[in-house]
Amino acid sequence: MSSANQLLLEAKNVTKYFGTITALENVNLKIHAGECLGVVGDNGAGKTTLMKVLSGLYKPSAGSLHFEGKEKVLESPRDSQNLGLEMVYQDLALAGNLPIGENIFLGREPTTNLGLLKFLDYKKIKELTEAHLGKLKINVKSADQKVEELSGGQRQAVAIARSTAFNAKVVIMDEPTAALAIKEVGKVLDLINSLKKNWRRRNCDQS
Ligand SMILES: Nc1ncnc2c1ncn2[C@@H]1O[C@H](COP(=O)(O)OP(=O)(O)O)[C@@H](O)[C@H]1O
Ligand SMILES: [Mg+2]
């Protein structure tokens, strides 16, 4: 369990070159448990590159990453997921033709066994999805609704729900409000605040 103010993720002197382009130069960053940190910069400043380095999609050209005080070399996003870090990419990477529930559990679906055969447990996916969306106060008609039928804000909410369905310690979002109408921006910001509140309730409330 993480306690408040515990240092979760640290980047030390992270530098990233793409050929002759220096996208990041000696970036230092600390993220503590229960903290909401915004990274602000102009187009081309290197925000996306930094997030992709933190999530293991890009390897830094120099510098190091530390999770809970230990240096980690990430070979892929799967490595960062195993450490409890989830990334919501700017393009969301959702499968439009699949229902919300299957998007949330994509690649990590609960299964049932029948002899040697494994099957996706659709009933469980639906139950877990409804409980998780409810906890985050995300309103959709049904967990069975296809993602392509949702608004931009609802899609963003589904992508955030996916990133928080596996007890992540750190959730990184790349421009989560860039493609949204003003009304939907407010909802996504509320959702980020409720993630923080849920986290505090789980980890800090003694009562
Ligand atoms: N895959 C890539 N290959 C080459 N150059 C890239 C790549 N990704 C980003 N860059 C360059 O790195 C710089 C930072 O880009 P980016 O991280 O996307 O900035 P931001 O997200 O802040 O707009 C830019 O000059 C961009 O052109
Ligand atoms: Mg970007």
Side-chain angles (χ1 to χ4, degrees):
M1 187 181 279
S2 310
S3 58
N5 306 323
Q6 183 196 350
L7 181 58
L8 287 181
L9 170 62
E10 185 172 12
K12 289 188 188 170
N13 296 318
V14 164
T15 295
K16 178 70 184 169
Y17 304 117
F18 292 110
T20 55
I21 297 172
T22 305
L24 300 173
E25 191 172 14
N26 289 323
V27 176
N28 290 288
L29 182 94
K30 284 181 182 173
I31 299 172
H32 298 86
E35 181 182 25
C36 183
L37 180 74
V39 175
V40 181
D42 225 336
N43 276 340
K47 303 179 296 293
T48 296
T49 304
L50 177 61
M51 303 311 146
K52 288 181 175 174
V53 168
L54 296 178
S55 70
L57 192 68
Y58 293 157
K59 272 197 163 173
S61 311
S64 56
L65 299 178
H66 305 253
F67 282 85
E68 297 179 324
K70 291 196 192 99
E71 182 170 352
K72 300 283 175 186
V73 177
L74 305 176
E75 299 294 338
S76 75
R78 182 60 68 169
D79 285 348
S80 67
Q81 284 177 338
N82 288 339
L83 293 169
L85 187 148
E86 294 281 334
M87 169 105 183
V88 181
Y89 294 96
Q90 190 166 9
D91 65 7
L92 303 185
L94 295 170
N97 60 335
L98 290 182
I100 294 168
E102 282 169 59
N103 267 281
I104 289 182
F105 289 93
L106 207 61
R108 294 184 269 192
E109 295 91 346
T111 51
T112 48
N113 294 326
L114 194 69
L116 289 173
L117 299 176
K118 261 191 179 176
F119 294 94
L120 298 192
D121 189 341
Y122 290 105
K123 195 166 159 252
K124 186 121 195 220
I125 290 175
K126 190 168 184 221
E127 276 171 20
L128 291 173
T129 300
E130 283 169 356
H132 188 54
L133 294 180
K135 199 174 74 191
L136 296 176
K137 298 194 177 66
I138 297 171
N139 291 319
V140 292
K141 273 189 218 143
S142 144
D144 288 333
Q145 207 178 353
K146 283 188 181 175
V147 162
E148 64 198 5
E149 296 166 11
L150 302 177
S151 73
Q154 284 175 316
R155 285 178 204 210
Q156 188 70 49
V158 169
I160 293 172
R162 177 171 63 185
S163 72
T164 56
F166 303 92
N167 292 322
K169 292 179 179 167
V170 180
V171 179
I172 297 176
M173 302 177 199
D174 191 4
E175 302 219 24
T177 59
L180 303 183
I182 298 282
K183 226 172 154 183
E184 294 190 317
V185 169
K187 283 195 186 152
V188 169
L189 298 180
D190 287 346
L191 180 53
I192 292 170
N193 273 326
S194 74
L195 291 182
K196 226 172 114 173
K197 271 194 207 131
N198 284 343
W199 184 89
R200 287 197 174 275
R201 206 169 296 138
R202 275 206 315 275
N203 295 283
C204 303
D205 277 4
Q206 302 303 319
S207 51

